[in-house]
Structures are given as structure tokens and as C-alpha cells.
């Protein structure tokens, strides 16, 4: 089958002869992929920032498809079902899954107790081959995969596997109260969705920072918010202080993660020398721009070692930090409703539809922010019909 | 609240998920779900373990399911095996994994070549898209790589025949600096001998002293020269693998610093 093959930092290719996945566990299903996305999280892998990313593995954790085969113990799905597959792999049995922390399952990732299982996301999250391929093995098929409701656009469905729940949870973890000022760092798909969802929790003002003008323009329209270029505002923290009557934002959201720009020291130590687990500029700004007693919500992804974060300010300001991998399954019912009622319009984020054969080019375009790209979707040849 | 639904009427769904109880500044915990403590749940059936799976030593077993992509192999595999003897809390877990990833990259190229496949690095990097959407960037990239390659080759050729040894590489520079320091030390002996000589040209004792100083100076100078040559000889073979060295340093320095 056709599958993405990682060869080293910034080097990926498509192989035509990757063996088909097989049922390896009674609760496995095999899904034929019909849409698959590239995510900002993939860029951390692509740039070699996640330890134990092995050559020969296939990335991809945002995909939908058709069930082709099920294991002996799968009863929630049947062959032919159209499913969206949450990016987290979760057993539904462990105490974390029972608490609906589906992003923190304890029975899906042998490689690290500090992370749950994720499709196509290195051996640090379980060593699974991912969805940037024609077929994927989907474990615990009774738990995560959800049948796509009748009439839902597949482009909406594929974004419900990660971007929408992640943006929504970013806002939810902020504990936004009616009238709050919410600052979102990052106008990638996740930040845009977080800005959009902040309103659903009653935000009074939403401010987004990024450095890509086209993304700022996009988020202003898509999420009815203010958006500023941190390369021209000067120190974004000072800017926020001035904009909030010298108090700071009620809630700050980091939707950037390890690839952050904007601070030379962080960039050099985090992304070039890899002395820390990526550049922590966005968390740094979030902690310093939030008001005393405020909340910082982190969905930006970092590596498992350490980052330079002003923890002293967290203490002195009495800040609450909330962070997690989105618990997709927990949020899906509510978010499906929002999409069906037209409250959220995920497919509006998709700017590029690229044949899966051209995945290497797609990575380059998304990573370098070329051609006004917000969100690229890969279409496998078998799904063209 | 001064904000009313009216004010945000233009935003569809404004406030529909607002939850005054979700205020993490004054944390509350949902204790409605009775959770047994410890690793006590009914585990799902174990996926058969038919290949080498490295598991964190912070857990007693392999998870009920796991991915089967790219089992550890070769030198990178050996490094990964070592990494998994250390806990996730240890730099000796993560830094070797980062090193293994870099080794794995080279193994990947070797494996490709062995299979008769010359990796098309341009295609893998997606430079076709770059050519389409960012031609200036591509031209700059190619120009830069050419310049760097030319500079590197010139430097290699030059360093082979040039006795001035103008190394800019940090390791060779350090060796060179050590050699120069030794040479200077020798020169200082010569100078002080000369000073003695001019101060008391007639003094017998002084003349003996001067002779002794001169001898020491000469021996220091030849030592210095030997040292420089040796240093250069040791360092030179390492030059082509400078990239690897810097990766190694990048992996080691943090554990030293912290
Ligand atoms: N926690 C989760 O469950 C989860 C899920 C999906 C994605 N993520 C993470 O969310 C982050 C964003 O994902 P994405 O797909 O939107 O990625 P993206 O790369 O498209 O977007 C990141 C944006 O941040 C901007 N940026 C860079 N430095 C900045 C700074 N200092 N301040 C403000 N903006 C800055 C970039 O220009 C870019 O537009 C990534 O780290 C990704 O790994 C987390
Ligand atoms: Zn994602
Ligand atoms: Zn679980």
C-alpha cells in the first residue's frame, strides 16, 4: 500500500510497497483511509524534535476512513462503517480512561508512562504506524472510532479527530468566564479553533498573536477576533498589559508548541542546539501576559525533556496552568452537535487538498507556511472516487 | 456581567458552553467517578508480543496494545536498548534516544543504498513545492549549499598544505591555541635571556644563567612545535565528521550543564 516513510529530519517520502496492516489484537480494526491531515504536531516529528522517532515509520494521527476488517472482539463497528478516528489510542478500561482522560490512557504506550498512545507519532507515544497511508491498524476499535453521522461532510469529520477538540479543550481548560479577555498565541489551525471556541465559553475579548500575516488575516475573519503580528507589536507581553488596562489577560492559551519563533535565545537553545525540548517562547509569553490569579492553558506540544519556563512568575502571580493532549472522545458528542448546528465550521480551515502521493511537498508547504496554507488534507488515491 | 448576549449577537453560539463552575483558580475535582487506586483495573487482553518492544521501566509491563512499526535494529537499536534501561526521569534515557535518531538517519541512507535505492533528497524535502511557491528561497538554499560546500572543500585542501593552519573549527582552533601558547612561553624565555644579557653583559654568573635560559627556551619551542603538530594530526581525521561531533556535543552538553 501507499504509505509515508520518515527518513530523517525534513525528509519524508511515499512508498508504494509498505505491507498492509494486520489485525494483531481482538479489538483491532483495519481502516481504509479516505482523508488524512498533516498537523502542527507532525512538524515536531518532521523537524526531529521528538526523541525515538524511528526511520521507516509512518506519521499521521488525523484521519477518517472506512472499516475494512474487524477483530473478533469488536462489536461497536462493522465492516463498511465510515468512521472518524480520534488521534488518541485509548483502552476505555484503565482508571485514566474511566475519568475520561482519553489522551492519557495507560494501556496504549509501552514507550513512556508520561504520554498516552497516539497514531503515527514516534515510539515515545507507542510506535504505531499512522494515517498518512492507505490503510491503518486501529486498536481498541470499540472505544475511540466513531461512526460519522449521516450527512456530515468528510472534511468536517477529519478535523473532528484532532483540531476541533484540541482548540475547544484549549479554551475549556482556560476556565473562561463571561466577559474574560483571552489571548491565544499561535494562529495555526489549533489556535484559530481555540479563538473561535473561546467565544462559546463567553469570552468578552479574544486576541490572537502570530507572525504570519495571512494567518492573522484569516483568524480575524474566521474567529471574529483581534489579531496582531508579534514582529510588529514589539514585546507582546507589554502589548497585552497595555491593552488590558495594565492588568494582563484573564486567560492565555499556548497553541504554538516546540517550533515557536520570536525569541532568539529560545530558538537557538530549543530548536537549533536542542538543549531544551523545543523553543518555549509561547509558554513564556503566556505566563508573563496573564493576570495574577489567571489561567494559562497549554495545548502546544513539547518534547519530553525540559524547557526554559519562568516558573518563578507562575508562583508569584498565583497562576493556574492547565494542559493536556485533547481528550477527543470525551468532547466528540458536544462538538458533533456544534458542527451539525453550524456553530463551528471546521472545513473552513482547509486550504489545501493534496494527493497523498505528494505528501513530501505537502509537508514542505505546511511547514514553511507557503501558499497561504492553513490546513492541508491528503487524499489517498483509493479515495478519489 | 456587563457583557450581554445582545452584545455578542453576531457570534453564533456565544456563551452556550459557559460554565461558572469551571474556574481552575479555585480548583475543584470531580470525584463522582469512583476510581480504584493503583494499577488495579481489569487489563484488556494482551496483544501478542512477537517482536522486540522496548518499554519504559516506569511500568511493569508492555501495554495491552502497542505499535509494531520499526523495531529497534543496528547501532541505533543498541543505543535505544541502553536508553530503556533508564527511567523517563533521566537524561540518560532521552539524550541517547536523540542520538539514536541521528544514527538511525545514517542507517536509513545505508539501508536505502544497499537496496539499490538512491534517496532523492530533493523530493524528500519537498523542494518541488518550494520551487513552485518559493523559488527565491530555493535558489538561496542551493546557492548557500554550494557556497558552504565550496568553502568546505577549499578549507580541507588548504589545511592539508598550508602550514599557517588558519583553522576556524572550534576543536582545531583550540589545539592550535594550545600550541601557540606553548610557543609563546618559549619565546618569553628567549626574551628574558636576552634581557639578562643586555643588563649584565660582563657578569659570568649572569652569562651562565643566560645559557641555561636559552637552552630551556629552545626545548620549550621544540616541545611547542611537536605539540601543535600532534594536536593537528589528532584532530584532522575528525574534521569530515564535524556534523556528528556537534550532534554528540549537543546531546552531551545539557547533562553537563544541568
Ligand atoms: N494538545 C493537543 O492535543 C494537540 C493537538 C494538536 C496539536 N497540538 C499542538 O498545537 C500546536 C499548534 O498546532 P497547529 O497545527 O496549529 O500548528 P502550526 O504550526 O500550523 O501553528 C503554529 C503557529 O504558531 C505561530 N507562532 C510561532 N511562534 C509563535 C509565537 N512565539 N507566538 C505566537 N505564535 C507563534 C506560527 O507562525 C504558526 O502559525 C502544535 O504545537 C501542535 O503540536 C496539540
Ligand atoms: Zn494533530
Ligand atoms: Zn485506558
Amino acid at each position: 500500500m501507499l504509505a509515508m516513510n520518515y527518513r530523517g529530519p525534513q525528509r519524508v517520502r511515499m512508498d508504494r510497497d509498505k505491507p498492509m496492516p494486520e489485525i494483531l489484537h481482538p479489538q483491532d480494526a483495519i481502516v481504509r483511509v479516505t482523508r488524512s491531515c498533516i498537523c502542527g504536531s507532525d512538524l515536531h516529528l518532521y523537524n526531529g524534535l521528538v526523541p525515538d522517532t524511528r526511520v521507516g515509520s509512518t506519521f499521521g494521527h488525523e484521519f477518517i476512513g472506512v472499516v475494512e476488517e474487524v477483530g473478533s472482539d469488536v462489536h461497536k463497528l462493522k465492516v463498511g462503517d465510515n468512521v472518524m478516528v480520534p488521534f488518541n489510542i485509548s483502552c476505555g478500561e484503565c482508571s485514566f480512561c474511566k475519568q475520561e482522560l482519553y489522551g492519557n490512557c495507560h494501556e496504549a504506550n509501552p514507550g513512556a508512562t508520561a504520554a498516552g498512545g497516539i497514531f503515527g507519532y514516534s515510539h515515545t507515544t507507542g510506535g504505531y504506524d499512522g494515517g498518512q497511508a492507505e490503510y491503518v491498524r486501529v486498536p481498541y476499535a470499540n472505544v475511540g472510532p466513531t461512526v460519522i453521522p449521516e450527512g456530515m461532510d468528510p472534511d468536517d469529520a477529519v478535523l473532528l479527530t484532532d483540531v476541533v477538540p484540541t482548540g475547544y479543550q484549549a479554551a475549556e481548560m482556560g476556565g473562561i468566564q463571561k466577559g474574560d479577555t483571552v489571548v491565544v498565541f499561535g494562529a495555526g489551525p489549533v489556535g484559530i479553533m481555540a479563538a473561535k471556541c473561546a467565544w462559546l465559553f463567553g469570552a468578552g475579548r479574544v486576541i490572537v498573536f502570530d507572525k504570519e500575516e495571512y494567518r492573522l488575516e484569516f483568524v480575524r475573519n474566521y474567529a471574529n477576533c483581534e489579531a496582531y503580528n508579534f514582529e510588529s507589536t514589539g514585546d507582546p507581553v507589554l502589548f497585552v498589559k497595555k491593552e488590558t488596562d495594565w492588568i494582563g489577560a484573564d486567560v492565555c492559551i499556548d497553541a504554538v508548541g516546540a517550533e515557536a519563533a520570536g525569541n532568539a535565545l529560545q530558538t537557538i537553545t530549543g530548536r537549533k542546539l536542542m538543549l531544551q525540548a523545543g523553543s518555549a517562547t509561547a509558554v513564556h509569553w503566556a505566563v508573563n501576559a496573564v493576570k495574577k490569579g489567571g489561567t494559562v492553558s497549554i495545548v502546544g506540544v513539547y518534547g519530553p525533556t525540559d524547557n526554559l519556563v519562568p516558573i518563578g512568575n507562575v508562583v508569584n502571580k498565583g497562576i493556574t496552568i492547565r494542559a493536556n493532549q485533547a481528550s477527543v472522545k470525551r468532547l466528540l458528542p458536544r462538538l458533533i452537535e456544534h458542527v451539525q448546528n453550524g456553530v463551528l465550521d471546521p472545513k473552513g480551515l482547509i486550504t489545501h487538498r493534496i494527493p497523498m502521493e505528494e505528501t513530501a511537498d505537502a509537508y514542505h508547504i505546511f511547514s514553511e507556511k507557503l501558499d497561504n496554507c492553513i490546513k492541508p488534507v491528503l487524499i489517498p488515491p483509493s479515495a478519489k472516487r | 456581567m456587563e457583557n450581554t448576549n445582545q452584545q455578542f449577537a453576531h457570534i453564533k453560539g456565544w456563551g452556550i458552553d459557559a460554565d461558572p463552575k469551571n474556574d481552575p483558580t479555585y480548583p475543584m475535582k470531580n470525584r463522582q467517578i469512583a476510581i480504584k487506586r493503583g494499577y488495579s483495573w481489569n487489563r484488556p487482553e494482551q496483544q501478542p508480543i512477537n517482536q522486540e518492544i522496548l518499554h519504559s521501566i516506569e511500568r511493569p509491563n508492555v501495554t495491552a496494545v502497542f505499535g509494531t512499526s520499526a523495531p529497534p535494529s543496528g547501532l541505533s537499536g543498541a543505543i535505544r536498548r541502553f536508553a530503556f534501561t533508564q527511567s523517563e526521569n533521566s537524561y540518560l534515557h532521552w539524550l541517547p534516544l536523540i542520538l539514536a535518531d541521528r544514527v538511525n538517519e545514517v542507517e536509513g541512507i545505508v539501508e536505502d543504498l544497499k537496496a539499490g535505492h538512491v534517496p532523492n533528497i530533493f523530493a524528500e524535502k519537498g523542494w518541488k513545492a518550494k520551487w513552485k511557491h518559493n523559488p527565491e528561497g530555493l535558489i538561496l538554499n542551493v546557492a548557500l549549499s554550494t557556497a558552504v560546500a565550496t568553502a568546505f572543500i577549499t578549507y580541507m585542501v588548504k589545511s592539508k598544505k598550508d602550514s599557517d593552519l588558519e583553522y576556524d573549527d572550534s576543536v582545531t582552533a583550540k589545539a592550535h591555541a594550545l600550541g601557540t601558547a606553548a610557543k609563546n612561553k618559549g619565546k618569553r624565555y628567549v626574551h628574558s635571556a636576552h634581557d639578562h644579557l643586555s643588563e649584565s653583559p660582563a657578569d659570568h654568573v649572569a652569562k651562565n644563567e643566560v645559557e641555561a635560559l636559552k637552552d630551556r627556551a629552545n626545548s620549550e619551542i621544540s616541545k611547542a612545535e611537536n605539540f601543535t603538530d600532534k594536536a593537528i594530526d589528532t584532530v584532522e581525521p575528525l574534521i569530515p565528521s564535524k556534523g556528528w561531533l556537534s550532534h554528540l556535543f549537543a546531546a552531551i552538553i545539557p547533562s553537563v550543564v544541568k
Side-chain angles (χ1 to χ4, degrees):
Chain A
M1 65 167 182
L2 187 69
M4 180 269 201
N5 180 341
Y6 169 76
R7 306 310 298 168
Q10 285 119 39
R11 285 179 52 218
V12 305
R13 68 166 182 247
M14 295 309 287
D15 284 351
R16 295 196 166 272
D17 50 359
K18 180 150 186 150
M20 291 279 289
E22 288 168 17
I23 301 271
L24 300 175
H25 184 273
Q27 289 184 46
D28 281 358
I30 303 296
V31 168
R32 175 170 62 81
V33 175
T34 51
R35 295 273 190 293
S36 184
C37 294
I38 301 178
C39 174
S41 300
D42 291 324
L43 298 183
H44 315 318
L45 297 175
Y46 183 65
N47 290 321
L49 288 178
V50 180
D52 216 357
T53 303
R54 300 185 192 167
V55 168
S57 48
T58 297
F59 299 170
H61 58 267
E62 302 181 2
F63 59 94
I64 58 169
V66 181
V67 177
E68 290 279 307
E69 198 184 340
V70 291
S72 56
D73 198 16
V74 174
H75 41 83
K76 290 248 177 80
L77 296 182
K78 56 183 193 313
V79 171
D81 278 350
N82 261 300
V83 287
M84 44 188 149
V85 182
F87 77 86
N88 343 88
I89 298 171
S90 37
C91 74
E93 291 295 328
C94 72
S95 58
F96 306 104
C97 286
K98 289 275 192 235
Q99 285 175 298
E100 300 198 300
L101 297 167
Y102 295 106
N104 312 99
C105 176
H106 209 64
E107 292 290 359
N109 173 17
T113 55
I118 302 179
F119 289 98
Y121 209 75
S122 86
H123 279 70
T124 294
T125 70
Y128 298 91
D129 276 325
Q132 287 158 17
E134 283 182 295
Y135 295 86
V136 191
R137 169 192 165 220
V138 175
Y140 298 134
N142 291 324
V143 183
T146 302
V147 174
I148 300 173
E150 200 63 44
M152 179 177 278
D153 190 312
D155 287 350
D156 282 329
V158 73
L159 294 183
L160 279 168
T161 63
D162 181 344
V163 173
V164 183
T166 301
Y168 185 89
Q169 189 170 325
E172 184 192 41
M173 290 190 300
I176 298 169
Q177 299 295 299
K178 282 193 176 172
D180 274 359
T181 295
V182 179
V183 170
V184 180
F185 292 99
V190 171
I192 296 171
M193 194 46 74
K196 179 97 181 159
C197 292
W199 297 118
L200 305 187
F201 293 94
R205 190 176 174 191
V206 179
I207 302 173
V208 177
F209 284 98
D210 201 296
K211 65 177 169 49
E212 302 294 337
E213 277 302 333
Y214 77 90
R215 289 187 165 199
L216 293 168
E217 186 60 31
F218 185 95
V219 74
R220 261 181 224 121
N221 295 324
Y222 184 89
N224 313 78
C225 61
E226 298 162 55
Y228 301 101
N229 190 328
F230 63 78
E231 287 182 337
S232 49
T233 53
D235 183 346
V237 169
L238 191 59
F239 185 86
V240 170
K241 290 286 169 69
K242 288 182 182 165
E243 285 291 315
T244 53
D245 202 16
W246 304 96
I247 293 299
D250 298 290
V251 176
C252 283
I253 293 173
D254 166 5
V256 179
E259 284 354 288
N263 177 307
L265 179 76
Q266 289 274 3
T267 303
I268 290 167
T269 55
R271 285 162 55 195
K272 307 284 183 230
L273 300 176
M274 290 176 58
L275 298 181
Q276 48 167 336
S279 149
T281 306
V283 199
H284 191 111
W285 288 353
V287 164
N288 289 341
V290 82
K291 71 174 185 191
K292 293 173 192 171
T295 305
V296 169
S297 162
I298 307 175
V299 287
V301 163
Y302 297 87
T305 52
D306 301 61
N307 284 96
L308 287 171
V309 177
I311 202 74
N313 294 350
V314 175
V315 176
N316 291 339
K317 294 169 76 171
I319 294 168
T320 299
I321 296 183
R322 275 179 149 187
N324 212 337
Q325 294 287 346
S327 182
V328 177
K329 181 184 160 61
R330 171 176 69 84
L331 295 170
L332 268 184
R334 182 66 171 157
L335 294 174
I336 288 173
E337 239 173 66
H338 283 342
V339 172
Q340 286 175 332
N341 296 337
V343 170
L344 294 175
D345 165 33
K347 66 176 178 307
L349 292 173
I350 294 174
T351 49
H352 287 65
R353 310 171 65 79
I354 299 175
M356 190 173 268
E357 294 89 328
E358 295 169 24
T359 298
D361 292 330
Y363 265 91
H364 187 81
I365 291 172
F366 183 57
S367 155
E368 295 296 308
K369 322 272 184 277
L370 299 178
D371 199 27
N372 292 343
C373 182
I374 304 282
K375 188 75 180 175
V377 178
L378 305 170
I379 319 277
S382 47
K384 267 184 190 136
R385 283 156 284 128
Chain B
M1 277 289 128
E2 64 233 64
N3 298 287
T4 61
N5 295 17
Q6 216 74 45
Q7 190 185 338
F8 294 103
H10 63 292
I11 293 170
K12 186 159 186 188
W14 183 85
I16 57 176
D17 287 341
D19 177 7
K21 287 201 182 131
N22 179 11
D23 184 348
T25 316
Y26 309 96
M28 289 173 292
K29 193 164 181 176
N30 181 356
R31 295 179 193 275
Q32 280 165 350
I33 309 155
I35 293 298
K36 278 192 257 161
R37 291 184 190 280
Y39 195 172
S40 56
W41 54 83
N42 286 334
R43 299 188 63 215
E45 186 175 328
Q46 178 67 52
Q47 173 182 339
I49 305 173
N50 298 327
Q51 66 178 77
E52 184 179 4
I53 298 296
L54 298 171
H55 77 80
S56 165
I57 59 167
E58 292 185 34
R59 60 175 304 125
N61 53 14
V62 170
T63 46
V65 307
F66 52 83
T68 52
S69 96
S73 66
L75 176 59
S76 65
I79 302 173
R80 294 190 209 282
R81 273 176 213 116
F82 164 78
F84 275 87
T85 63
Q86 308 292 316
S87 83
E88 293 163 56
N89 183 43
S90 170
Y91 292 109
L92 281 176
H93 178 70
W94 299 110
L95 300 176
L97 285 177
I98 294 171
L99 180 69
D101 289 350
R102 300 291 85 84
V103 171
N104 202 188
E105 208 183 314
V106 176
E107 289 170 340
I109 293 176
V110 172
E111 176 194 299
D112 269 351
L113 293 175
K114 269 195 192 153
H117 173 91
V118 181
N120 182 346
I121 309 259
F122 285 86
E124 289 175 356
K125 284 183 171 293
W127 280 9
K128 195 177 96 214
K130 188 166 195 149
W131 177 239
K132 188 164 168 210
H133 301 295
N134 183 13
E136 301 88 355
L138 183 63
I139 289 164
L140 191 70
N141 257 345
V142 172
L144 271 178
S145 334
T146 316
V148 169
T150 314
F152 182 72
I153 292 163
T154 318
Y155 157 78
M156 290 294 288
V157 171
K158 188 167 174 262
S159 65
K160 281 274 183 302
K161 55 182 183 189
D162 191 350
S163 54
D164 269 0
L165 301 166
E166 286 181 48
Y167 285 87
D168 55 3
D169 174 89
S170 68
V171 188
T172 40
K174 200 167 169 199
H176 194 218
L178 283 172
T180 314
K183 239 183 206 170
N184 288 340
K185 201 167 158 197
K187 274 188 192 149
R188 275 205 302 282
Y189 280 113
V190 178
H191 278 153
S192 71
H194 183 76
D195 288 346
H196 267 276
L197 209 59
S198 51
E199 263 167 40
S200 47
D203 190 327
H204 257 43
V205 186
K207 257 187 190 154
N208 284 346
E209 250 181 56
V210 168
E211 287 308 318
L213 276 169
K214 262 188 180 166
D215 283 342
R216 281 176 70 185
N218 282 332
S219 89
E220 284 295 337
I221 290 173
S222 65
K223 252 201 263 169
E225 271 159 2
N226 277 341
F227 182 76
T228 314
D229 289 344
K230 232 189 229 151
I232 302 302
D233 284 347
T234 339
V235 165
E236 207 156 52
L238 293 175
I239 293 173
S241 52
K242 255 193 303 191
W244 286 103
L245 263 187
S246 65
H247 277 303
L248 194 67
F249 285 138
I252 290 167
I253 288 168
S255 58
V256 178
V257 173
K258 275 164 186 163

